[in-house]
Structure formats: structure tokens, C-alpha cells
């Protein structure tokens, strides 16, 4: 198996990096991975991750909800119970960012297609990209949607989409700069890009440290702060117009983190820490457990 070792920061290229913690893959392999912090742009990244050809086996779990739609376990049932609210929020963000009630949308890393299905019901012309074969099959079974393989990103016509979305996907992409460069070419001149990523500067991340579920090594290759996202996007002449809090993520991530930390459900402690993160995130978006970056090309 081939692994990727970064001598310099994969976002800004600086050599001012140091190890901040070691995190465990609780979902599949139980292996541990070092997380490195860049002193220049503040991004964190997972060191010695499997390359693109070998990462697939780390996604092979029924617990990986975006691929399997599993409802097993209390945390996954809670996830499904609030998903319709989350889908409505995403749709509203897209409409507000584009100024359109209907248009063309590309969802990168669309999983089983629940968001695309929701947008399609609202009259949007949809395109989905998804690397996982099982997730693509589930999208067809559940919603009669046929996502294309992720490599098709680089064969799509330029200037085609009013909106491009990546909901917790950017942190998984090996060829980070290639993806963003191509995404910019696919947007219409007034199109909007919405990127949601976990935020390691959130209270829940600080509280749980190496047990923070959103580190999700080795599937999460990068771990973003608001400052790091700004640096990354600016390199590709993309500006952040607005930021939105993903208010339920702090609860979901804290419940899962408590399970990782204690080995039990830890429902009350997890919910309480999620509440603290939610409250602080409402006051300051940059402290939210997950942040949606609404962007436009410069």
C-alpha cells in the first residue's frame, strides 16, 4: 500500500508545520494517524494517509452513513431525524447564494443522493458525482438518481452550473488544488460555490481533542479553520462572500466523540457539549462545529 507523506503544507506550501496530535480511526481500521498543523496558513492535515488508489477500504463500513443510509444505533437515528431540516437549509442557502429559485446544480460527493433528490423536487436540474460504487447504486435504488464517478469532474463542460456544492467532501479530496481549479471553471460567471467542512477551532473540537469525531482519520485528509479556508480559496481567485453555521453538526459530532472517548453512548455529556458548541456557533460562525462557506469567483 502506498502512503502520502507531506514535507510541506498541502494548502500553502509552507514548511512551518508540526505535529499536534495523534488520532485513531474508530470507524474501520482502528489504526492511528498523526495530524500536522501548518504554522503559516493554520490548516491541519493527516500525515501518511493511503493514496487515492488505496483509500477505498477505509470507507468500507456500514457505519459510514453517507454511503449506506444506515439507521443502526441511536446517533444515526438522530441524524436521520433532523436531515429534512438540514436539506431545507441547504436548499435555501443555494437559492439565496444564486438568487435563483431554479437552476443547474452540481453536487460533488453526493453520496446516496438525498440532497440532489431534494433539489430535483424543487425543480433544479441536477448532476451528481460520487466515488463510491455502493453509494451510487443506493442513489439509483432510493431516488432514481444516477451519479457519475468523481473522475468525470474533469470532463464536464466549462461554465455549466449555477451552483456547485460540496457538503463535507473537500476534506476527502486527494488532489485538492486540482479540484478547486476545475470547480472554478465549471461555474457560470455569477455562479455560487458552497463548501461545508468541519471546523477544528470549534469548542467541541477543542474539548474532545484526539477523540473529536470530525478528525475522522484517514478519510479526512485535511482539517480546516476559517483562516485556512480563506487562504486556500484565495489562491484560486475565489472569495468567501458569507459563512453559515451548520447548527446540528455540533450535536452529532459531540455524541459520536463522546462514544469514542468513553466507549459508551454518553448521551447526556455528548448532548451537553454539543449544546455548548451550538450556542457559541450561533454567536460566532467561525466557532461553529461545521461551517458552510458561500463563495464566488473573483
Amino acid at each position: 500500500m502506498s502512503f502520502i507523506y507531506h514535507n510541506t503544507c498541502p494548502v500553502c506550501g509552507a514548511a512551518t508545520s508540526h505535529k499536534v496530535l495523534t488520532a485513531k480511526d474508530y470507524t474501520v481500521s482502528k489504526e492511528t494517524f498523526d495530524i500536522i498543523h501548518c504554522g503559516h496558513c493554520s490548516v491541519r492535515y493527516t500525515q501518511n494517509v493511503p493514496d487515492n488508489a488505496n483509500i477505498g477500504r477505509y470507507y468500507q463500513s456500514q457505519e459510514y452513513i453517507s454511503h449506506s443510509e444506515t439507521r443502526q444505533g441511536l446517533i444515526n437515528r438522530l441524524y436521520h431525524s433532523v436531515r429534512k431540516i438540514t436539506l431545507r437549509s441547504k436548499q435555501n442557502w443555494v437559492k439565496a447564494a444564486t438568487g435563483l429559485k431554479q437552476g443547474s446544480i452540481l453536487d460533488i460527493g453526493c453520496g446516496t443522493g438525498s440532497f440532489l433528490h431534494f433539489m430535483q423536487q424543487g425543480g433544479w436540474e441536477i448532476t451528481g458525482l460520487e466515488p463510491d460504487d455502493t453509494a451510487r447504486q443506493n442513489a439509483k435504488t432510493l431516488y432514481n438518481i444516477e451519479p457519475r464517478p468523481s473522475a468525470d469532474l474533469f470532463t464536464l463542460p466549462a461554465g455549466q452550473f449555477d451552483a456547485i456544492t460540496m457538503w463535507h467532501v473537500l476534506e476527502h479530496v486527494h488532489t485538492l488544488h486540482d479540484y478547486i481549479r476545475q470547480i472554478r471553471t465549471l461555474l457560470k460567471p455569477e455562479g455560487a460555490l458552497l463548501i461545508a467542512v468541519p471546523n477544528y477551532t470549534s469548542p467541541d473540537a477543542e474539548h474532545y481533542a484526539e477523540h473529536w469525531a470530525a478528525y475522522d482519520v484517514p478519510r479526512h485528509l485535511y482539517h480546516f479553520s476559517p483562516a485556512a479556508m480563506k487562504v486556500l480559496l484565495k489562491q484560486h481567485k475565489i472569495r468567501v462572500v458569507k459563512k453559515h453555521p451548520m447548527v446540528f453538526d455540533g450535536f452529532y459530532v459531540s455524541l459520536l466523540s463522546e462514544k469514542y472517548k468513553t466507549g459508551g453512548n454518553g448521551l447526556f455529556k455528548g448532548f451537553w457539549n454539543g449544546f455548548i458548541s451550538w450556542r457559541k456557533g450561533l454567536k460566532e460562525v467561525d466557532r461553529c462545529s461545521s461551517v458552510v462557506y458561500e463563495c464566488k469567483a473573483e
Side-chain angles (χ1 to χ4, degrees), residues 159-179:
Q160 183 178 356
F161 298 103
D162 296 300
I164 297 177
T165 55
M166 302 180 78
W167 308 114
H168 291 293
V169 171
L170 189 65
E171 62 268 31
H172 296 264
V173 174
H174 279 81
T175 54
L176 183 64
H177 291 283
D178 289 343
Y179 256 65

Side-chain angles (χ1 to χ4, degrees), residues 269-285:
K269 284 186 178 179
F271 185 86
W272 177 249
N273 287 321
F275 173 77
I276 292 172
S277 184
W278 168 79
R279 186 177 60 185
K280 291 183 178 179
L282 284 181
K283 293 179 179 178
E284 185 181 356
V285 177

Side-chain angles (χ1 to χ4, degrees), residues 79-90 118 248:
Y79 171 88
H80 280 281
S81 69
V82 301
R83 185 165 68 173
K84 184 168 285 191
I85 301 172
T86 303
L87 290 174
R88 178 67 67 185
S89 294
K90 291 177 179 178
F118 197 79
F248 291 114

Side-chain angles (χ1 to χ4, degrees), residues 13-24:
T16 56
S17 300
H18 62 278
K19 175 183 167 183
V20 288
L21 54 87
T22 299
K24 182 178 179 180

Side-chain angles (χ1 to χ4, degrees), residues 145 168 188 235 271:
I145 291 172
H168 291 293
K188 292 181 180 180
Q235 292 177 70
F271 185 86

